[in-house]
Amino acid sequence: MAVDYSLYLVTDRILVGPKDFLLSIRKALEGGVTLLQLREKETNSREFYDIGVKVKELAAEFGVPLIINDRVDLALALDADGVHVGQQDLPLAKVRNIIGPDKILGYSVSSLEEALQGERMGADYLGAGPVFPTGSKKDAAEAIGLAKLKEIKAGVSLPVVGIGGIGAANLRVVKETGIDGVSVISAILSQEDPCAAAKGLVDLWRN
Amino acid sequence: MAVDYSLYLVTDRILVGPKDFLLSIRKALEGGVTLLQLREKETNSREFYDIGVKVKELAAEFGVPLIINDRVDLALALDADGVHVGQQDLPLAKVRNIIGPDKILGYSVSSLEEALQGERMGADYLGAGPVFPTGSKKDAAEAIGLAKLKEIKAGVSLPVVGIGGIGAANLRVVKETGIDGVSVISAILSQEDPCAAAKGLVDLWRN
């Protein structure tokens, strides 16, 4: 599957509030999000599944691939397009074994060493960051900055998506590192109009 | 695989403390636990995996099957013998699809209706309860009592394990319901000598 990594939305149901969650995602998809990651850290498996069914329908309506964060079992149960794991999730090689060769496998990295490991272990793309300091992820590490992001992109052949503190104000300088896309949470979901916010980021990325 | 459900230990690392966790499980296995469930509710996937690797080694040393609570992906990554899901976990039929026909699939029920559903959907055994009020599980429902436990066992052909508030003081009356085994946490792990506690329960079950 040819994946467009340019505007990768990671969800945060707590940030948006449960009531507006699906509507916010719909607006973001209308605005041009190219890839969607469902990230649920504070819920039980059944609630995750029930939300996932709805989000998958929504993503399918827009022809956007759905990636599940961390929970490989949820990715399988939902028959999502892929799964994204980090350093605190299941070992990458185990995940590849479980999901098989066809599902998209993303891997969070914050150094070239981790990026090369991800490449060796079967990742399809890398989420590199946090590029800038961010409040959206409680467990985020120290910011790596643009120089390191550029180093990671130059050092691997996989698509690299920058994540962490990226928004309209800094998207151009981030793109100049040569990466394949940006992953955002609050730059879309914390904005009054998620559709306009997504459109704005798409425009900045293209021009 | 012929499974002996008679003394089924469910782990609780928070109850035991991380330091004594593996040692407590070893002692419980020495005492005669016949089936082991690894239950981790407050940890990330990698920590769960790392603990699981160690617990699996221990279970294998004693020839006791290892069942993983809730996390189907962990059961696959660890190649555990099975997985146990409840009403708040992934749908049972989805779990059976993911794990295939050979792994043991357990299902938590608190009514005959849920038990019959579990039987239809592909469970290999049922964990019925809570039989008595219990403090070991934060999310446990109201106690079902012995009459309902007996009704569940009589209504299905699957092995039924009673869970919730079961220990040395009430094991005989629980066994008289005709069930196939008891599932315990604190009756072994909260005791000063988990080996002696397990031995005592085995003796009570056999005689």
Side-chain angles (χ1 to χ4, degrees):
Chain A
M1 182 184 340
V3 179
D4 180 350
Y5 290 98
S6 60
L7 185 57
Y8 187 179
L9 177 66
V10 178
T11 66
D12 188 328
R13 198 158 47 104
I14 290 159
L15 187 71
V16 178
K19 198 172 140 263
D20 297 327
F21 183 63
L22 290 173
L23 184 61
S24 296
I25 295 177
R26 173 176 288 281
K27 285 181 179 169
L29 289 165
E30 284 171 357
V33 159
T34 62
L35 191 57
L36 184 61
Q37 179 182 132
L38 181 60
R39 186 172 183 275
E40 290 282 333
K41 287 294 189 190
E42 314 281 336
T43 189
N44 65 48
S45 299
R46 177 59 65 96
E47 196 183 346
F48 196 156
Y49 178 79
D50 291 341
I51 292 162
V53 169
K54 291 176 189 162
V55 171
K56 196 193 168 194
E57 278 175 19
L58 206 46
E61 188 184 327
F62 288 84
V64 165
L66 175 64
I67 309 289
I68 304 296
N69 181 281
D70 176 15
R71 292 292 300 268
V72 181
D73 46 359
L74 267 295
L76 293 175
L78 293 163
D79 193 21
D81 300 284
V83 65
H84 185 98
V85 296
Q87 305 291 324
Q88 298 190 319
D89 302 330
L90 284 176
L92 199 61
K94 291 279 175 189
V95 178
R96 178 54 85 194
N97 281 344
I98 295 171
I99 63 174
D102 295 335
K103 287 201 190 292
I104 304 165
L105 178 52
Y107 188 50
S108 294
V109 302
S110 55
S111 68
L112 180 57
E113 192 189 341
E114 288 172 358
L116 290 168
Q117 183 201 39
E119 196 162 58
R120 277 196 310 273
M121 299 290 202
D124 289 312
Y125 76 89
L126 303 172
V131 179
F132 304 113
T134 170
S136 295
K137 285 194 183 183
K138 279 191 287 185
D139 54 353
E142 217 177 311
I144 62 169
L146 293 169
K148 205 161 200 174
L149 181 61
K150 197 170 176 176
E151 182 199 25
I152 289 170
K153 174 59 192 170
V156 297
S157 55
L158 293 178
V160 174
V161 179
I163 185 166
I166 299 173
N170 55 27
L171 192 114
R172 280 170 194 274
V173 291
V174 172
K175 195 188 174 187
E176 282 167 9
T177 62
I179 60 170
D180 303 272
V182 291
S183 191
V184 302
I185 302 176
S186 57
I188 291 178
L189 295 180
S190 292
Q191 310 307 308
E192 212 174 315
D193 183 345
C195 176
K199 267 186 189 153
L201 294 171
V202 169
D203 285 347
L204 282 169
W205 184 263
R206 288 196 184 146
N207 303 305
Chain B
M1 183 185 339
V3 180
D4 180 349
Y5 290 98
S6 61
L7 186 56
Y8 187 177
L9 176 66
V10 178
T11 65
D12 188 328
R13 197 157 49 103
I14 290 159
L15 187 72
V16 179
K19 197 170 141 265
D20 296 326
F21 183 63
L22 290 173
L23 184 60
S24 296
I25 296 177
R26 173 177 288 283
K27 284 180 180 170
L29 289 165
E30 283 171 357
V33 159
T34 62
L35 191 57
L36 184 62
Q37 180 183 130
L38 181 60
R39 186 172 182 273
E40 290 281 334
K41 287 295 190 189
E42 316 279 338
T43 187
N44 65 47
S45 299
R46 177 58 67 96
E47 196 182 346
F48 195 155
Y49 178 79
D50 290 341
I51 292 161
V53 168
K54 290 176 189 162
V55 172
K56 194 193 168 193
E57 279 176 17
L58 207 44
E61 187 183 327
F62 288 85
V64 165
L66 175 65
I67 310 288
I68 303 296
N69 182 282
D70 177 16
R71 292 291 301 268
V72 181
D73 47 358
L74 267 296
L76 293 175
L78 292 164
D79 192 22
D81 300 285
V83 63
H84 185 98
V85 296
Q87 305 291 326
Q88 299 190 320
D89 301 332
L90 284 176
L92 199 61
K94 290 280 175 189
V95 177
R96 177 55 83 197
N97 281 344
I98 294 171
I99 63 174
D102 296 335
K103 287 203 190 290
I104 303 164
L105 178 53
Y107 188 50
S108 293
V109 302
S110 55
S111 68
L112 180 57
E113 193 190 340
E114 287 173 358
L116 291 167
Q117 184 201 39
E119 197 162 58
R120 278 197 310 273
M121 300 290 202
D124 289 311
Y125 76 89
L126 303 172
V131 179
F132 304 113
T134 170
S136 295
K137 284 195 185 182
K138 277 192 287 183
D139 55 351
E142 219 177 307
I144 63 170
L146 292 169
K148 203 161 202 176
L149 180 62
K150 198 170 176 176
E151 184 199 23
I152 289 170
K153 173 59 193 170
V156 298
S157 56
L158 292 179
V160 174
V161 179
I163 185 165
I166 300 172
N170 56 25
L171 192 113
R172 281 170 194 272
V173 291
V174 172
K175 194 188 174 186
E176 282 167 10
T177 62
I179 59 169
D180 304 272
V182 291
S183 192
V184 302
I185 301 176
S186 58
I188 291 178
L189 295 181
S190 292
Q191 310 308 307
E192 210 174 316
D193 183 344
C195 176
K199 266 186 188 153
L201 295 171
V202 167
D203 286 347
L204 282 167
W205 184 263
R206 290 196 183 147
N207 304 304

